[in-house]
Each structure stands twice: as C-alpha cells, then as structure tokens.
Amino acid sequence: MSSVLDPLLRRALAERVRYYNELGIYDFYQRGSAGLESAETALAAVHADSPSSIPTLPTELREEMPARKSAVVATVAEQKIFEISAPKPEYGTSDPVAALKLIREDLGDCTRCKLHKQGRKQIVFGVGNPRAELMFVGEGPGADEDTQGEPFVGRAGQLLNNMIKAMGLRREDVYIANIVKCRPPGNRTPERDECETCSPFLMRQIAVIKPKVIVALGAVAAKTLLAINAPMAELRGHWYDFRATKLAVTYHPAFLLRDPRQKKEAWKDLQMVMKELGLEIPAKGPQ
Ligand code: SF4
C-alpha cells in the first residue's frame, strides 16, 4: 500500500523526522483531519524552508482518490514516520561495536515479516568492520548464508571477496549486509513488504557504521535504498546522496556469475568507488 505514496515524499518526511530526532525531538502531534490533507500538510512542513519547492501530490491522490484510500495512505505514512522517530537502544552509545550489538538484540528472534516462517534457519545480520569506510548491501541470504549465518559466503560471496581484493582491501575491512536478513524460500526475490519491514534495521546499521561509501549490489538493494524504480542500466554509473553517505550501484555478484561479460562493467563501478575512497586503481580487475 505504501507504494501509493510518492517515494520522494516518504524519503523527505523520513529525513525531516530524522533531523528532528538528531535535535532530541521524538514526539510529534498531528493537527487536522486524517487523510490526504494531513499528507499534504506534512509535505508542506517538510518543505517549509523552501515553499517554492513543494511538490504536489499526484493527481490520482489529489482529486480522484476515494476517502477510504486516502485514509489508508495517511496511516501508512504515519506508521513509517513513527517507526523511524522512536528512540532506539543504540542511541545511548557512541561505540559502533556496542551499538551493532544493541541493534542485533533489538532484532531478536524476529518474526516481523513472513520470511520468519518460510524455512529460514537463522537470521543473517551482517558481518565486517563496524567502522568500515565501505559497505556492501545485497538482497538477501541464500542457502549457504542461511546455513552459516553470514552474508555472501557462497559462490557469489567468493566473487564478492575477489572484487574486494581487487580493490586492494580485505573482506574484514568492509561491512557486508543485506536488505532482508532471512532467506526467501527458493532464493526468490524478496517482496516489497519484506524489504520495507526489514530494511529499517539495515538503516540503523548504516547509521552506526557511517561508511563513506555504500555499494548497492543489484536492483533490489538499489531500489530499496534509493526508493527509485529504474533499470540497472540507469541506476549504475552515478553517485547518489544517501543521508551522510555516498551510494553507488553495481551488479549483484550472483548476476555476474550468470553473465560474466558484465564483470567489466562492474569493475568500472568499483573503480569509481576506489577513486572516491582514495584507493590506488590496479590495472587488473577481479577474476
Ligand atoms: S527478514 Fe527481517 S523483518 Fe523479516 S523476519 Fe527476517 S529479520 Fe525479521
């Protein structure tokens, strides 16, 4: 249902709430009636500093949406905002190791989305340097990851290791995580509701680690993080501002195993990342 709301609006609202959180403000009160009006009021508040930049809601929402549908949209938006705005246990520490531990404890034996009852062996939280400058975000655990409890340990993981090595880094230098932390059955693509339910925990991991660069591996990671629905050909090759971090998109290693011809393109993406991180670019890419 949340797809009905403009992704830019959702991101803008979330950013504003996060800004208030950083100022120590966690409680929000809503004036006026529920529904589309409240969404537009909130939107206007988000853009209060520059009223001329206030985007308008799509015509579908503005004029023709029945009252019941608009009420649902507002409810979803409010749920997401309050989910983000609640103080988190890790806010009490500046130590990323302790903070990640607190996030993992908060996740618990998670049953928040339906993936918990579809054959997962364990939750795959994330692995690597809690102070990493570079973070890789994939889609979700596969069979090997589900068994070992660590992301990217199968064949795709070996290729990711080679990619990291070709960049002059070690696996333990970076942090690796996924959009969803439980294996989708049959390695299917995680569904939108699963991504939306699980990804707030990833966002908290990112907020703690504060990497200089995030590399989204594949379309699911890119689209979830950026709230942009575009093909990989358009997503790659650019820098995106993602909170206080720069984000680049490249192919998922599992895709590169299926289509090795694209490794050259992926290497170009990684060279862009290396340049940003001030790493020396070797002549030879990953094998
Ligand atoms: S995928 Fe994420 S939200 Fe869903 S059950 Fe697993 S840990 Fe919880």
Side-chain angles (χ1 to χ4, degrees), residues 107 110 112-113 115-116 120 123 180-182 197-198:
L107 186 63
C110 183
R112 292 170 180 84
C113 85
L115 287 179
H116 84 277
R120 82 166 182 214
I123 290 170
V180 295
K181 301 188 187 305
C182 298
T197 305
C198 199

Side-chain angles (χ1 to χ4, degrees), residues 159 256 259-268 286-287:
L159 179 54
L256 295 174
D259 187 355
R261 291 169 305 172
Q262 302 303 329
K263 283 184 183 176
K264 262 193 285 183
E265 294 301 308
W267 182 232
K268 283 184 201 163
Q287 300 306 301

